[in-house]
Amino acid sequence: MTSRAMWNAIETLHAGVYFAPDSKARYEAAGLKGYWMGYFASRSAALGTPGPALVVATFHGFAPRLVERAVPDAWRLAERDQVLEARYALARGLLDPISHGAAALAPRVRAVLNGVDWAGKPLAAAHADLPVSDDPVVDFWQAVTALREYRGDCHLAVLTAAGLDGAAANALASGTGWAWFADQRTMRGWTEQEWAQAIAGLVTRGWLNADGTGTETGIAARAQLEDATDRVVAAGLDREATSRLVTLEAELVALADDWAAAHPALAPSRTAHAR
C-alpha cells in the first residue's frame, strides 16, 4: 500500500487461509469437494455464486480448466453463506495468536476502506461490500482481505495492460523469481504446451531465455510491473486513506511478523505473485 512492506504484511495476514492444514476439511464440511473447489468457491463467494468465466477473469493466472472443475458445481453442493462462514472460521483460528492486536486495529483498517476508489477493482469491491462481522478479529481479516484484493485488482490491470495473459504472467513470475511455488505451472493448472507457448512469447519480447529463466530485461520488466502496480494502488487512495495507512504501517508489519512467527510454515515467501 504505502510501501512494499505494507503490502507484504497485508498479504501475510490474509493468505494463511489458503495454506491452513484444515482448509480442505473445513470446506468439505460445508459440502465442497477437494482443495481447489474450496479455494475457488471461498475466494469468489464475495461476488455471489459466480460461474467459471467470472472467476477466471477476476482471479487471473489460473488455467480456465482448473476453475471449470470447481465452479459452478460448488454452488450446487454448498450454500454461499456456509462457504463464507467456513472461510471466516479458518481466518479466525489462524489469527488467534494475534487476536488482541487484530481486534485493536480492526476499526482503523476498516476506516481505510472508506477512502478507496473501487472502480475497476471488482473482486476487492465485492469483499469490501460484504457485511461487517460482529467479531472484531474477523472484521480485521475482512478489511485486510479487501485491501489485499484491491492491490491484486490493480496488479491484474497492469499485467493485462502489458499484454500478459494468465500463463504468460505466471511464466514471467516463475522465470524472474516472483513465483510462490517451485512448480508454478502445475499449481496454476497450465499444460506443458501452454507453458511452452507462454515462454516462447516472452522469449520473443526478450524477457525470458529459451529455458524459461529471466533475461536482464525481463527481470527489470517484472520489477517495473510491481512499481506500476504500486502507482495504480496509490492513485486509488484518497488523502485520508493514505494517511491512515501510513499510521498503520508499523503496527501491521509488526502484527504480520508476529503472525508469521506463530505460523512459520504458512507465511508467504514473496511480496507479490502472478495473481
Side-chain angles (χ1 to χ4, degrees), residues 23-248:
S23 64
K24 181 172 176 285
R26 289 268 191 177
Y27 294 126
E28 287 181 342
L32 301 176
K33 295 181 179 180
Y35 172 82
W36 284 114
M37 185 175 282
Y39 171 82
F40 288 119
S42 64
R43 189 176 168 208
S44 69
L47 295 163
T49 56
L54 181 54
V55 174
V56 169
T58 51
F59 283 24
H60 193 60
F62 290 92
R65 74 180 63 81
L66 189 63
V67 179
E68 290 163 0
R69 288 200 291 265
V71 293
D73 284 353
W75 312 122
R76 177 176 55 81
L77 298 171
E79 295 291 331
R80 175 204 184 224
D81 287 348
Q82 291 179 313
V83 173
L84 283 171
E85 286 304 315
R87 181 167 158 94
Y88 297 154
L90 270 171
R92 184 61 175 84
L94 289 168
L95 290 177
D96 190 61
I98 58 165
S99 59
H100 179 74
L105 291 184
R108 293 168 59 195
V109 180
R110 173 67 61 179
V112 173
L113 304 186
N114 296 327
V116 178
D117 180 3
W118 303 109
K121 297 97 178 179
L123 191 55
H127 279 88
D129 201 39
L130 287 170
V132 176
S133 174
D134 293 333
D135 182 337
V137 178
V138 174
D139 180 43
F140 169 82
W141 185 83
Q142 286 180 300
V144 162
T145 295
L147 290 175
R148 187 262 193 174
E149 298 294 10
Y150 170 71
R151 191 183 192 278
D153 285 341
C154 292
H155 189 54
L156 187 158
V158 170
L159 292 175
T160 54
L164 295 169
D165 63 15
N170 276 279
L172 180 62
S174 183
T176 56
W178 285 88
W180 269 29
F181 306 105
D183 189 357
Q184 192 80 357
R185 177 188 71 79
T186 300
M187 288 299 296
R188 299 302 191 194
W190 301 103
T191 66
E192 291 184 3
Q193 181 179 2
E194 290 166 337
W195 197 252
Q197 290 174 341
I199 289 174
L202 292 165
V203 168
T204 299
R205 296 177 73 159
W207 287 7
L208 291 184
N209 297 304
D211 64 356
T213 58
T215 64
E216 288 187 14
T217 301
I219 292 169
R222 186 60 184 76
Q224 288 168 7
L225 291 172
E226 290 298 321
D227 292 341
T229 300
D230 290 340
R231 291 192 294 272
V232 175
V233 166
L237 300 173
D238 69 17
R239 183 173 299 179
E240 186 172 353
T242 301
S243 297
R244 288 181 186 278
L245 282 172
V246 168
T247 62
L248 276 166

